[in-house]
Amino acid sequence: PKPRPGDLIEIFRIGYEHWAIYVEDDYVVHLAPPSEEFEVGSITSVFSNRAVVKYSRLEDVLQGCSWKINNKLDGTYLPLPVDKIIQRTKNMVNKIVQYSLIEGNCEHFVNDLRYGVHRSQQVEHALMEGAKAAGAVISAVVDSIRPKPVTA
């Protein structure tokens, strides 16, 4: 389906998802590295602590990757009115913003514009999986040092 203004676009890159917000006429707004030496939406952008808000053709941002409309938080949060989403989004274009993979990535950015909520389920999932792995390691270590019953 064709995106509507204010829709969130999830772009499937190798190893991570990039996010954009649809504005109009096949254009989106998204975060990109401020340096032109990096490709828009590249994995290199993950290592920068700044990003520039870009107004780009959806096709250019996709770079041949698959994508889908993903307003997955609509069941949890009420989206802002479309005209307000678009106004807030356009007001951000060309601004340089702080970027953090954990606290302020492209998913945080688009969710803030659509819902007024600074949230990244991608990060939440990664942190949860990390906590599970840490718990498994701790359990294995405790089990390995626990005294074993002596058998005859």
Side-chain angles (χ1 to χ4, degrees), residues 58-129:
L58 176 59
E59 181 181 326
D60 294 339
V61 179
L62 293 176
Q63 299 174 354
C65 294
S66 63
W67 64 282
K68 71 177 182 178
I69 297 167
N70 190 347
N71 300 320
K72 63 184 174 182
L73 294 179
D74 280 9
T76 306
Y77 304 107
L78 184 64
L80 298 169
V82 172
D83 59 334
K84 185 168 185 159
I85 294 170
I86 299 306
Q87 177 189 14
R88 294 175 76 216
T89 300
K90 286 183 173 182
N91 285 341
M92 293 299 296
V93 173
N94 293 325
K95 291 191 176 176
I96 294 184
V97 298
Q98 286 297 114
Y99 181 88
S100 164
L101 183 61
I102 303 296
E103 297 174 350
N105 65 38
C106 56
E107 186 180 5
H108 288 104
F109 176 73
V110 298
N111 281 328
D112 188 44
L113 290 170
R114 182 172 174 84
Y115 306 105
V117 175
H118 192 77
R119 185 170 178 193
S120 171
Q121 289 185 312
Q122 194 172 195
V123 169
E124 292 167 7
H125 178 73
L127 292 175
M128 184 66 73
E129 291 303 311

Side-chain angles (χ1 to χ4, degrees), residues 13 16-19 30-35 37-52 63 97-102 104-106:
R13 303 250 190 260
Y16 72 105
E17 287 80 44
H18 184 60
W19 290 81
H30 66 110
L31 294 182
S35 171
E37 66 195 68
F38 300 134
E39 287 184 20
V40 170
S42 74
I43 190 68
T44 313
S45 65
V46 168
F47 303 110
S48 177
N49 66 351
R50 293 182 314 142
V52 63
Q63 299 174 354
V97 298
Q98 286 297 114
Y99 181 88
S100 164
L101 183 61
I102 303 296
N105 65 38
C106 56

